Amino acid sequence: MRRRWLPLILVPVLVIGIIAGALGWDYQRFLMRPIPGNEAEPYFQVPRGASLRQIAERLKTDGYLKDPHLFVVLAYLSGQARELRAGEYSWPGGLRPPELLEVLTSGRVVQHAVTLVEGWRFRRTLAALAERDVFSGDLSGLTDSELMARLGRPGQAPEGRFFPDTYSFPRGTAKLEILRRALQRMEEVLAEEWAERDAGLPLKTPYEALILASIVEKETGRKTERAKVAGVFVRRLRRGMRLQTDPTVIYGLGEDYDGDLTSADLRADTPYNTYRRGGLPPTPIALPGRASITAALHPEEGEALYFVARGDGGHHFSATLEEHNRAVRRYIFGDE
């Protein structure tokens, strides 16, 4: 009787063994199958609160996996079923499923770059952020005072206070947080540079150095001229001479400036007209880079008190007004 029942027992066991072997072979092939890369947008998104099965099905829908259920098995067998982290992910082509699982549990989400450029005004900075839909928040309805208050700097003017650099953030980062990072970075850089400043400068505070650096930034784009330009302004400040710099006048004109600086503009009395008012203007006029901050705090020694653009991106520097007037006639009016 027992021998009659033996085939009935062995057959199901054999079938189960065959099925298990087939499944095991399928699983091994799954583990070795390369996955397409996604190194360009749209990146793969793991939604916040999504289940492992939902993520696996999304990977199938997007063409990365053929067997989402095996990806679920892999996650459980590896102990990572509950470790997938929300965010955008990118990976190169050729990864295997275990490596993809490591990517999705790493938290190393895609970073989106935003660049603040030397010489930008604050409103240009806000416009650049407004164009980036990848980041969250609308700053357009805030006044300068409201924005600075939200950044923890109430009563401060925003102009020039954000360090120009390329910053990287994950999708959805608040635009206010991007400004906060740039603000903190500027404060760090300015503190470092101020601590190493030359002795005897006619600058009482780091903020005055920031103002002067912003003028240097707007006056020349040549690295080799920054310290020389700063030297001219520092010598003028020491002697009580007016800075007489066009970029401050242009800044003070605001929207009234039409691209052509006239003699009437130079007579317009604004707090930024350094032809009419002595000392530094009340705020920076642009975002200064580190090189301009360094130049303002380490101005080049010399005798020059004037400079004029040569028309080739550089400037002619003069120690006397007579020499400067000759340079103006030559480079501005073409007289030899």
Side-chain angles (χ1 to χ4, degrees), residues 241-284:
M241 297 174 66
R242 294 177 182 175
L243 296 184
Q244 295 183 321
T245 169
D246 292 353
T248 63
V249 177
I250 292 170
Y251 184 87
L253 292 172
E255 295 182 358
D256 291 335
Y257 177 63
D258 61 5
D260 182 23
L261 192 64
T262 67
S263 57
D265 294 332
L266 297 179
R267 292 193 300 270
D269 187 26
T270 77
Y272 294 86
N273 190 334
T274 51
Y275 285 86
R276 293 180 60 90
R277 301 197 183 193
L280 294 165
T283 73

Side-chain angles (χ1 to χ4, degrees), residues 42-317:
Y43 302 112
F44 184 76
Q45 181 80 33
V46 175
R48 190 171 301 278
S51 69
L52 171 61
R53 188 169 299 279
Q54 289 172 329
I55 295 168
E57 289 294 338
R58 175 72 179 278
L59 287 167
K60 177 184 178 182
T61 300
D62 290 355
Y64 299 113
L65 294 179
K66 294 183 178 179
D67 305 294
H69 62 285
L70 293 181
F71 189 76
V72 173
V73 171
L74 168 64
Y76 275 104
L77 290 178
S78 66
Q80 295 174 291
R82 298 182 182 277
E83 295 182 10
L84 275 72
R85 300 173 66 176
E88 280 184 312
Y89 291 91
S90 173
W91 56 83
L95 292 189
R96 269 51 176 185
E99 296 168 321
L100 175 61
L101 182 59
E102 290 296 329
V103 169
L104 299 182
T105 57
S106 69
R108 294 190 295 271
V109 297
V110 172
Q111 299 287 309
H112 296 270
V114 57
T115 300
L116 309 186
V117 179
E118 292 95 336
W120 273 6
R121 292 186 182 184
F122 178 61
R123 286 294 150 186
R124 179 66 185 86
T125 301
L126 290 184
L129 289 177
E131 294 169 359
R132 301 301 306 279
D133 293 338
V134 70
F135 303 123
S136 66
D138 181 9
L139 305 178
S140 62
L142 298 177
T143 65
D144 289 356
S145 297
E146 291 170 338
L147 193 149
M148 292 304 289
R150 293 193 183 188
L151 291 172
R153 303 294 187 276
Q156 294 183 359
E159 197 68 78
R161 291 187 182 271
F162 303 90
F163 190 70
D165 202 352
T166 296
Y167 301 88
S168 296
F169 301 88
R171 178 182 291 274
T173 299
K175 294 171 183 176
L176 195 67
E177 289 306 308
I178 298 173
L179 287 178
R180 193 185 310 279
R181 170 87 66 84
L183 174 65
Q184 292 170 346
R185 182 60 184 146
M186 178 60 88
E187 291 174 346
E188 292 168 359
V189 169
L190 189 58
E192 291 167 3
E193 294 290 335
W194 180 257
E196 300 296 326
R197 69 190 183 280
D198 288 352
L201 293 176
L203 303 171
K204 298 177 182 178
T205 65
Y207 189 59
E208 288 189 353
L210 188 66
I211 294 172
L212 179 57
S214 74
I215 300 173
V216 172
E217 187 71 56
K218 295 301 290 185
E219 278 287 9
T220 181
R222 288 197 172 182
K223 296 179 180 179
T224 57
E225 285 194 346
R226 289 192 179 106
K228 189 174 290 189
V229 168
V232 169
F233 290 136
V234 165
R235 282 187 288 278
R236 281 179 162 265
L237 288 171
R238 283 175 176 157
R239 298 185 185 199
M241 297 174 66
R242 294 177 182 175
L243 296 184
Q244 295 183 321
T245 169
D246 292 353
T248 63
V249 177
I250 292 170
Y251 184 87
L253 292 172
E255 295 182 358
D256 291 335
Y257 177 63
D258 61 5
D260 182 23
L261 192 64
T262 67
S263 57
D265 294 332
L266 297 179
R267 292 193 300 270
D269 187 26
T270 77
Y272 294 86
N273 190 334
T274 51
Y275 285 86
R276 293 180 60 90
R277 301 197 183 193
L280 294 165
T283 73
I285 60 172
L287 299 180
R290 185 161 200 153
S292 292
I293 297 172
T294 301
L297 293 170
H298 302 277
E300 185 175 308
E301 295 293 334
E303 300 297 327
L305 292 169
Y306 309 88
F307 58 87
V308 62
R310 294 195 306 254
D312 61 356
H315 294 81
H316 179 91
F317 293 82

